[in-house]
Amino acid sequence: MLNLIRKYNVQGPRYTSYPTVPYWDISAFSGKAWKETLQKSFVESNDKDGVSLYIHLPFCESMCTFCGCHKRITKRHEVEIPYISSVLKEWALYCDLFEEKPRIKELHLGGGTPTFFSPQHLEMLLKGIFRRAEIAEGHEFSFEGHPNNTTREHLQTLYDLGFKRVSFGVQDYSDKVQRAIHRVQPFENVKNVTEWSREIGYTSVGHDLIFGLPHQKIEDIEVTISKTRELLPDRLAFYSYAHVPWLKGIGQRGFKDEDLPGAEEKRRQYEFGKKLLTEAGYFEIGMDHFALKSDSLYKSFETQNLHRNFMGYTSSRTQLMIGLGASSISDSWYSFAQNVKSIEEYQHLVENDIIPIYRGHILTEEDLVIRRHILNLMCRLETSWEDPSLKFDELDLVLDHLKEMEIDGLIDTNYNQLNVTEAGRPFVRNVCMAFDLLLHRKAPEKRVFSMTI
Ligand SMILES: C[S@@+](CC[C@H](N)C(=O)[O-])C[C@H]1O[C@@H](n2cnc3c(N)ncnc32)[C@H](O)[C@@H]1O
Ligand code: SF4
C-alpha cells in the first residue's frame, strides 16, 4: 500500500465537474452562449426532473484557518438584508429568461455559513425564491449549519419551509486540532444541534469530518469517530484536508506545513477512520462520503442513481443547476458558468440587471462524453464504453494510461468495461485523471489542485 501511495499521490482534481475549472475554455465562452444552453436545458428538464438551486451565503463570524471555501469574515450582520435583496434580484433575472416557472427539485444553502443569517432573514430569502417558482414533488432541500451558531429556531424555520436535510461542520473534536484550525467547538454544541434536528423531524443529519488536519494524529481520529458514533449522524463526509494555500483570499494559515501529517500518515488516518466507520454501520458510497443504510444517499447508491455536482454527492439527478450568490457556479449540463467572487461586484452587477457571470465553459461533444465517464466512476466506481455514445477517439490512449493501474490491482478492465476494485477506491481520482483528456493535452503550469491522497 505504501508504494502505491508514493506512486499515485500527485496533484489532481476532485472532479466536482468535468472539465475542471482550470481547464475551462474561457475564450470560447460568452454570456449569449451560456443563456442559450441554459434555456435549452430548462426546456428539456424543467417539466421532467425539475431544477436544482444552489445559494451561496458567504459570511462567517470567525475564520477557520483550514477552510478552502469562498467566504467573508465579518461580525456586521447588517450585510444580511442587502445580500438577500441581491440574491432575489439575481433569481428574478434568471426567471425572466424562462417561459414557465422553474420547478425546484433540489435546493441547497451553502457557504460560508448559512446560519450566520437570522432565521427571519432566511425565511425572507426562501419565500422570495418560492414566490417565482413551483416546488417539485419529492423535493430535497438541505443546508449547511455551523454547530456554534445554529439555533433551534433556525432548524424549525427551515424545516417549516421544506428542509429535511442538514449537515454540520464538525472537522475534529481534539482541542489541539481545533485550536490549530481556529475553530473551537465543544461536543455539546454538535450534540445539541444534532438532537434538535432529529426532534424537529429532519430525516437526514450529516456531519463533516476531516483527516489530515494540522497536528491531527491517529488517536484524534479515534476519539472523533467514537464521539461521532454517540450521535450516529445519517451521513458523513470524511474529507481529506485539501491544502491549497496558494489560492487567493482563502486564508489557510496559522500553522506550518510541518504541522501537517505526511501523505502516508494521512492515508493511515483514512484507512483507520474508514475501518471504524464501517464497524459503526456506515457504508462508503463514494469518494469521501459515508452513509447509514437507512439514508437516501445510500439508497441512491444502491439503485445507481447517485449524482455528483458542485454540491458534492446528491440523490437527485437534475440536468440544470442554477447557482445564485457571489462565486456560485451554475451547470446546465452543456455549460458551466461562475459568478464573480467579490461580494461588492456581485451586488453591483445584479443591481444593474446583469447576471453576474464572469467566466464559464461550453462543453464540446468530447467533453460531454468524458463527463459521463467521470460521473460513472465517481458515483458507481465503474464505467463502460459498450454503448457507442460513450466511445471517443482517444480511448486507446486512456486505456494505455490505465495499464499500470490494472497491474497494480486498482482496476479491472475487460473488453469494454472498467471497474474500480476495493483496493482502487482510494485512487478513484487517479482513475478519473486517466480519462481527463484535457489534462493529458496540457499539464497545469502551476499548482492548482490538491494532492490526490
Ligand atoms: C462551507 S463549509 C461548512 C459550513 C459551515 N460554515 C461550518 O463551518 O460548519 C463545508 C465543509 O467543507 C469542508 N472543508 C472546508 N475547507 C476544507 C479543506 N480545505 N479541506 C477539506 N474539507 C474542507 C469542511 O468539512 C466544511 O464543514
Ligand atoms: S469552515 Fe465554515 S465557518 Fe469556518 S471559515 Fe469555512 S465556511 Fe466559514
Side-chain angles (χ1 to χ4, degrees), residues 23 207 220 250 256 295:
Y23 284 89
H207 287 183
D220 301 316
I250 294 290
K256 299 193 274 304
D295 191 78

Side-chain angles (χ1 to χ4, degrees), residues 265-278:
E265 173 60 14
K266 217 173 155 185
R267 206 64 225 164
R268 258 196 296 275
Q269 293 184 355
Y270 164 80
E271 293 296 341
F272 182 63
K274 175 174 168 175
K275 176 174 156 288
L276 297 180
L277 291 174
T278 309

Side-chain angles (χ1 to χ4, degrees), residues 68-331:
C69 308
H70 288 290
K71 72 267 171 190
R72 167 77 57 88
I73 309 300
T74 180
K75 291 203 163 45
R76 291 178 53 250
H77 284 262
E78 306 88 275
V79 294
E80 293 182 25
I81 294 271
Y83 190 80
I84 287 176
S85 312
S86 302
V87 172
L88 291 178
K89 183 80 192 282
E90 187 189 8
W91 178 230
L93 294 174
Y94 274 107
C95 293
D96 287 347
L97 296 176
F98 307 135
E99 300 275 318
E100 53 181 67
K101 275 189 171 180
R103 285 175 60 241
I104 306 178
K105 178 73 197 292
E106 200 180 23
L107 191 160
H108 184 74
L109 304 181
T113 303
T115 47
F116 172 96
F117 286 73
S118 70
Q120 295 73 21
H121 289 167
L122 289 174
E123 184 172 7
M124 179 196 287
L125 167 70
L126 290 156
K127 286 196 165 155
I129 297 281
F130 297 159
R131 207 163 290 135
R132 287 177 167 268
E134 280 171 20
I135 310 288
E137 210 178 301
H139 65 271
E140 297 212 24
F141 295 173
S142 54
F143 73 99
E144 292 165 17
H146 193 314
N148 284 357
N149 66 13
T150 301
T151 60
R152 204 185 171 108
E153 200 188 347
H154 277 113
L155 289 162
Q156 187 66 57
T157 305
L158 291 171
Y159 182 82
D160 294 341
L161 287 159
F163 286 69
K164 300 286 175 287
R165 275 178 34 208
V166 54
S167 63
F168 296 110
V170 173
Q171 329 311 349
D172 184 282
Y173 284 111
S174 135
D175 289 342
K176 179 183 54 180
V177 176
Q178 291 197 357
R179 271 185 272 113
I181 61 173
H182 197 242
R183 184 187 173 104
V184 174
Q185 177 175 279
F187 175 68
E188 209 52 31
N189 292 5
V190 184
K191 185 170 187 281
N192 284 340
V193 291
T194 302
E195 288 176 352
W196 291 335
S197 309
R198 294 223 165 100
E199 283 161 23
I200 289 171
Y202 282 80
T203 50
S204 176
V205 180
H207 287 183
D208 297 341
L209 306 180
I210 305 188
F211 62 92
L213 285 167
H215 301 294
Q216 201 179 27
K217 300 272 177 309
I218 210 116
E219 303 82 78
D220 301 316
I221 303 281
E222 186 162 21
V223 170
T224 296
I225 294 185
S226 94
K227 286 189 187 295
T228 302
R229 279 184 84 151
E230 281 180 44
L231 303 178
L232 213 65
D234 304 274
R235 53 176 90 165
L236 274 172
F238 188 42
Y239 291 120
S240 166
Y241 167 61
H243 192 49
V244 285
W246 57 87
L247 289 186
K248 264 205 313 208
I250 294 290
Q252 282 183 337
R253 56 165 188 255
F255 50 86
K256 299 193 274 304
D257 281 5
E258 307 87 86
D259 300 333
L260 293 169
E264 288 162 22
E265 173 60 14
K266 217 173 155 185
R267 206 64 225 164
R268 258 196 296 275
Q269 293 184 355
Y270 164 80
E271 293 296 341
F272 182 63
K274 175 174 168 175
K275 176 174 156 288
L276 297 180
L277 291 174
T278 309
E279 283 166 12
Y282 289 96
F283 187 85
E284 190 177 26
I285 53 110
M287 197 180 84
D288 309 331
H289 283 76
F290 292 78
L292 293 178
K293 291 197 168 169
S294 48
D295 191 78
S296 63
L297 212 53
Y298 175 77
K299 290 178 187 149
S300 300
F301 172 80
E302 269 229 311
T303 52
Q304 303 211 324
N305 280 318
L306 205 60
H307 187 55
R308 186 170 167 84
N309 58 25
F310 288 102
M311 299 188 263
Y313 286 102
T314 69
S315 37
S316 312
R317 193 182 273 262
T318 52
Q319 178 174 314
L320 173 60
M321 184 176 83
I322 300 175
L324 303 177
S327 80
S328 282
I329 298 181
S330 299
D331 172 1

Side-chain angles (χ1 to χ4, degrees), residues 12 34 82 99 158 180 184 204 215 284 367 381 402 422 448-449:
W34 154 242
E99 300 275 318
L158 291 171
V184 174
S204 176
H215 301 294
E284 190 177 26
D367 293 340
L381 297 164
L402 287 166
E422 197 50 39
V448 284
F449 301 119

